């Protein structure tokens, strides 16, 4: 029976694969854009009011992470894992330690480029086949389990707050030729955390605890760079940033070409953090354009980012 898996953990939460953009610090895709990248003004509509802009905003410098094999072993011990990490992946900075003595196997990754930590029980987090609806905790129960797990593993952060509890991984069973799945299961539940800098939201961070059948913790990802203030910057106007959005000059290499229509319903100012496998020196302010996109007649949430500082 063909099976389709929809990984619905946020963004950044491509748990096993990592979904890393290999860009330099603060790098933006340059023109010429790939075919279909420039969505064009006709595809966008703006219903949001632009935010008020202060005279200056704090710029932050990332405190470099000190990741060694000894550090990887120390992190693994927090999760009850033992063994030796493999050689660092030079492209992503990942050190991977797999504890094959566990049944099923468990693994921890620590990223030298960012200090990020990712813990997984792959067979439970991403099972090959699901034949019944797993027993997942309520949202309130999931939050309690996640907070207790963070305390147990010393992975909590004082600036973190719960920003959402919801479905993590979904699995569907399909029959050939059918337009609806024969069965659909919510496999995991994710408790997600966020933070603020200078009173503004941080975008791009990954911090979530993943719960599976019976409320067991089956995964954790934490990309949470330590930062320190590094002077002040002024921002370009929201209108200038919106023009960049229309021209696909965005933080991520994505132009919206796959959408039929995009409605921008909110514009906010925040800070951008790169994915775990990317080296980042500065944490810069961004404009976040969010709303609804239509693809093939079906609406879905949309958000894209444009660097806001004058150097963007």
């Amino acid at each position: 029976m063909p099976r389709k898996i929809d990984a619905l953990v946020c963004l950044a939460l491509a748990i096993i694969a990592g979904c890393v953009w290999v860009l330099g610090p603060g790098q933006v895709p340059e023109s010429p854009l790939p075919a279909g990248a420039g969505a064009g003004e006709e595809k966008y509509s703006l219903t949001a009011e632009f935010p008020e802009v202060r005279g200056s905003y704090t710029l932050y410098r990332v405190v470099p992470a000190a990741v060694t094999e000894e550090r990887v072993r120390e992190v693994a011990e927090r999760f009850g894992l033992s063994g030796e990490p493999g050689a660092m992946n030079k492209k992503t900075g990942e050190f991977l330690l797999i504890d094959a003595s566990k049944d099923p196997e468990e693994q921890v990754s620590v990223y030298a480029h960012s200090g990020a930590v990712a813990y997984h029980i792959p067979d439970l987090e991403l099972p090959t086949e699901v034949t019944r609806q797993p027993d997942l905790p309520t949202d309130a129960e999931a939050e309690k389990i996640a907070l207790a797990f963070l305390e147990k593993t010393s992975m909590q952060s004082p600036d973190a707050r719960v920003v959402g509890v919801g479905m993590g991984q979904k699995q569907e069973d399909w029959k050939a030729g059918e337009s609806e799945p024969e069965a659909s299961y919510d496999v995991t539940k994710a408790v997600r955390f966020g933070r603020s800098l200078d009173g503004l939201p941080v975008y791009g961070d990954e911090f979530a605890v993943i719960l599976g059948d019976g409320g067991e913790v089956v995964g954790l990802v934490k990309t949470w760079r330590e930062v320190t203030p590094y002077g002040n910057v002024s921002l370009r106007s929201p209108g200038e940033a919106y023009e960049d959005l229309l021209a696909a000059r965005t933080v991520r290499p994505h132009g919206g070409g796959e959408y039929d229509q995009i409605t921008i319903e909110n514009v906010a100012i925040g800070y951008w953090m790169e994915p775990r496998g990317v080296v980042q020196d500065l944490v810069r302010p961004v404009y976040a354009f969010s709303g609804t996109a239509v693809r093939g007649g079906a609406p879905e949430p949309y958000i894209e980012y444009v660097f806001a500082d004058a150097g963007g």
Side-chain angles (χ1 to χ4, degrees):
M1 179 181 297
R3 183 166 58 87
K4 183 170 76 174
I5 298 177
D6 295 317
L8 297 178
V9 177
C10 178
L11 48 138
L13 271 180
I15 296 294
I16 297 298
C19 285
V20 172
W21 300 300
V22 185
L23 299 175
Q27 184 176 343
V28 183
E30 298 179 353
S31 297
L33 294 164
E41 186 173 355
E42 71 283 351
K43 184 169 293 190
Y44 286 83
S45 61
L46 177 67
T47 63
E49 294 185 1
F50 288 145
E52 293 186 9
V53 179
R54 302 198 305 254
S56 67
Y57 289 78
T58 304
L59 189 68
Y60 292 89
R61 181 170 288 282
V62 174
V63 177
V67 178
T68 62
E69 291 186 3
E70 182 179 353
R71 165 67 175 165
V72 177
R73 287 189 289 268
E74 184 272 323
V75 171
E77 288 176 1
R78 299 187 193 183
F79 297 92
L81 276 60
S82 60
E84 292 298 319
M88 186 187 77
N89 183 313
K90 293 183 180 180
K91 186 175 183 179
T92 65
E94 179 190 17
F95 286 94
L96 173 63
L97 184 151
I98 300 175
D99 190 339
S101 70
K102 302 281 189 177
D103 186 18
E105 287 185 353
E106 301 180 30
Q107 63 186 54
V108 163
S109 292
V110 183
Y111 291 77
H113 293 348
S114 61
V117 172
Y119 161 74
H120 305 291
I121 309 177
D123 287 349
L124 300 182
E125 187 179 357
L126 299 168
T128 303
E129 183 177 12
V130 179
T131 58
R132 65 170 179 83
Q133 173 55 49
D135 179 19
L136 299 179
T138 66
D139 289 358
E141 292 170 341
E143 185 173 333
K144 290 180 180 179
I145 294 169
L147 292 173
F149 184 77
L150 292 178
E151 182 175 3
K152 174 185 175 183
T153 56
S154 299
M155 293 298 295
Q156 68 270 56
S157 291
D159 57 342
R161 68 188 189 282
V162 176
V163 295
V165 182
M167 185 181 66
Q169 181 78 16
K170 187 180 183 68
Q171 189 174 115
E172 296 177 342
D173 293 334
W174 290 74
K175 279 189 175 180
E178 296 294 329
S179 59
E180 297 290 338
E182 187 177 43
S184 179
Y185 305 105
D186 293 341
V187 180
T188 59
K189 178 167 282 193
V191 181
R192 303 180 182 92
F193 298 83
R195 62 171 164 170
S196 299
L197 290 175
D198 199 17
L200 298 171
V202 176
Y203 302 108
D205 274 343
E206 296 178 283
F207 191 0
V209 177
I210 313 301
L211 310 178
D213 194 23
E216 180 180 0
V217 175
V218 298
L220 173 146
V221 60
K222 184 178 181 182
T223 306
W224 208 258
R225 291 174 172 87
E226 183 181 348
V227 300
T228 185
Y230 187 67
N232 298 298
V233 293
S234 59
L235 302 191
R236 298 181 299 144
S237 72
E240 290 178 288
Y242 184 63
E243 291 298 322
D244 277 356
L245 177 71
L246 299 182
R249 292 190 293 266
T250 53
V251 172
R252 304 180 295 183
H254 173 74
E258 72 274 28
Y259 297 118
D260 304 314
Q261 184 66 39
I262 300 169
T263 303
I264 302 301
E265 299 158 352
N266 186 63
V267 182
I269 302 170
Y271 287 92
W272 176 254
M273 289 290 183
E274 295 285 359
R276 70 186 88 156
V278 175
V279 176
Q280 182 174 7
D281 295 326
L282 296 178
V283 179
R284 299 163 56 191
V286 293
Y287 287 106
F289 295 91
S290 60
T292 303
V294 177
R295 174 171 22 198
E300 59 185 75
Y302 172 89
I303 187 166
E304 200 52 80
Y305 309 93
V306 174
F307 281 118
D309 57 300

